[in-house]
Amino acid sequence: MGQESSTPVDESTPPRTLNARSIEAVASYIKEGRAKKIVVMTGAGLSTAAGIPDFRSPDTGIYANLAKLNLPYPEAVFDISYFRSNPLPFYTLAHELYPGQYKPTLSHYFLRLLSDKGLLLKLFTQNIDCLERAAGVPSDKIIEAHGSFACQRCIDCRTEYPDDLMKQAIRNGDVPRCIGTECTGLVKPDIVFFGEALPEKFHQNRDLPSHADLAIIMGTSLSVQPFASLPGYCADGVPRLLLNAERVGGLGSRADDVLLLGDCDDGVRKLASALGWLAELEAIFKADNPDHATGGQVDKADIPQPRSLDAEIAQITKDVDESLRISDQHAASLRENLSLSVRRPSQSAQPMLPDNKNIEEIVPALRVGDLEIEDSRQFQKYKTAGPQAEDVNTNVRAAIDNPEETASSATVGSRHPNQDLKTDKPSS
């Protein structure tokens, strides 16, 4: 299980379980009572109608927007090693995605309807937005394979962090720290980052698709393992319905695979209509969304548009530019001090620097890469305290005595990962 052909089934091959490869046949299969243990697998495409961008769409996806932050690579925003050195990009994104800003879509309410009717065995989701919970799907029916914003904890001591403090930090653009008495570790929502293990709950339930009598796959690219392997666990002869913008994975390679390509909500409406559930689905949607007068069909004007990252990015850029300005002021001050104090008796007052070198090239302490820019609040520290004069003067005098040796050692090897915000060069 988990491995299968990606070659589409021949059109002449008849289904083994369904009476046809169609949405109507899937609906008949459910109405006949043959589907009592439905496993659903969802991805970011389920939430795009809520206004949340998916991750990988060119130009509009989350990774495309994060490119404006000059990360070493887009996925770095979810890399635990990068987060430890520079949590600010993640919290810029968290400000956009934090629960409460978006409402569940018609597709989310369809999942609740499956649960209400006692047909949902388990929902596996890659989404971290908690919209399934907001729609009313019971938490014990949900496997959040990549974690979620539902809770958060310190990444070092694992102490849980209060929800109200997290909301306040997200709202204020702060980077939260552990509340433990002997720990100051970074706090992170229980979202699975690259470099972290998936939740134990996922592994404990990973074989559930093998017990399903119907699988519905919605709004996912099936490009991330091990989640992508879940549809392959379904037994041969078990119908698998794909509601997605495009064919993905090995779906369509089996005789009882049904592909309905297009928008998730449109696919859900067609399935609900074929089942005779459309009025019921619209009713529960409208109960939570009374302002929608279209009976569950969300008007484009009513869809909350994803707020641009430009404002947050502009603030980060402003902060970095400010730190650069402060660093330049320190350098100018040192030049002035050197011009007055470091002279040869027989020459006019000139700073004793090697030819064609400036102080930033000689004294690594002045390079922006050495500023500990962990979050925007730390910039204030550099407005009041710069490099220590004694240490800098010692380095300068060493550079004067051994210019070649010192210049060759003053490389960007000590570059702080946060410098990537300005230079777009990967950290080591």
Side-chain angles (χ1 to χ4, degrees), residues 121-314:
L121 177 61
K122 199 68 72 175
L123 164 63
F124 290 85
T125 181
Q126 295 172 283
N127 296 338
I128 60 177
D129 52 34
C130 298
L131 290 183
E132 301 87 0
R133 296 169 182 255
V137 180
S139 60
D140 64 345
K141 291 289 185 180
I142 305 173
I143 303 293
E144 291 161 327
H146 296 165
S148 74
F149 281 103
C151 54
Q152 52 282 319
R153 67 193 73 241
C154 173
I155 64 174
D156 292 328
C157 71
R158 310 304 295 168
T159 297
E160 290 193 12
Y161 193 77
D163 291 345
D164 58 337
L165 294 182
M166 189 65 174
K167 290 178 182 177
Q168 181 179 342
I170 295 289
R171 183 171 58 249
N172 295 338
D174 296 335
V175 176
R177 293 277 182 173
C178 184
I179 58 174
T181 57
E182 298 182 359
C183 181
T184 59
L186 292 164
V187 169
K188 178 180 76 63
D190 284 347
I191 296 168
V192 179
F193 278 23
F194 296 110
E196 292 186 311
L198 267 61
E200 187 62 29
K201 191 177 179 181
F202 173 83
H203 296 291
Q204 292 171 348
N205 291 274
R206 186 176 177 179
D207 68 339
L208 271 183
S210 65
H211 302 287
D213 44 32
L214 173 64
I216 303 176
I217 300 92
M218 308 169 67
T220 174
S221 63
L222 289 181
S223 60
V224 178
Q225 295 289 357
F227 189 94
S229 67
L230 291 176
Y233 281 82
C234 295
D236 289 340
V238 170
R240 303 184 302 179
L241 171 62
L242 176 67
L243 305 178
N244 202 50
E246 59 186 359
R247 178 177 178 268
V248 293
L251 295 167
S253 63
R254 297 184 184 181
D256 289 287
D257 286 353
V258 176
L259 278 57
L260 186 57
L261 304 185
D263 179 79
C264 280
D265 280 2
D266 290 344
V268 161
R269 289 179 66 84
K270 291 177 181 177
L271 177 57
S273 180
L275 285 164
W277 298 356
L278 185 56
E280 188 176 3
L281 176 61
E282 290 179 338
I284 63 173
F285 179 92
K286 193 170 182 180
D288 284 355
N289 300 272
D291 293 337
H292 290 303
T294 52
Q297 180 64 54
V298 183
D299 289 334
K300 296 296 183 182
D302 291 332
I303 297 175
Q305 298 301 311
R307 295 185 296 112
S308 172
L309 293 174
D310 289 347
E312 284 82 358
I313 294 170

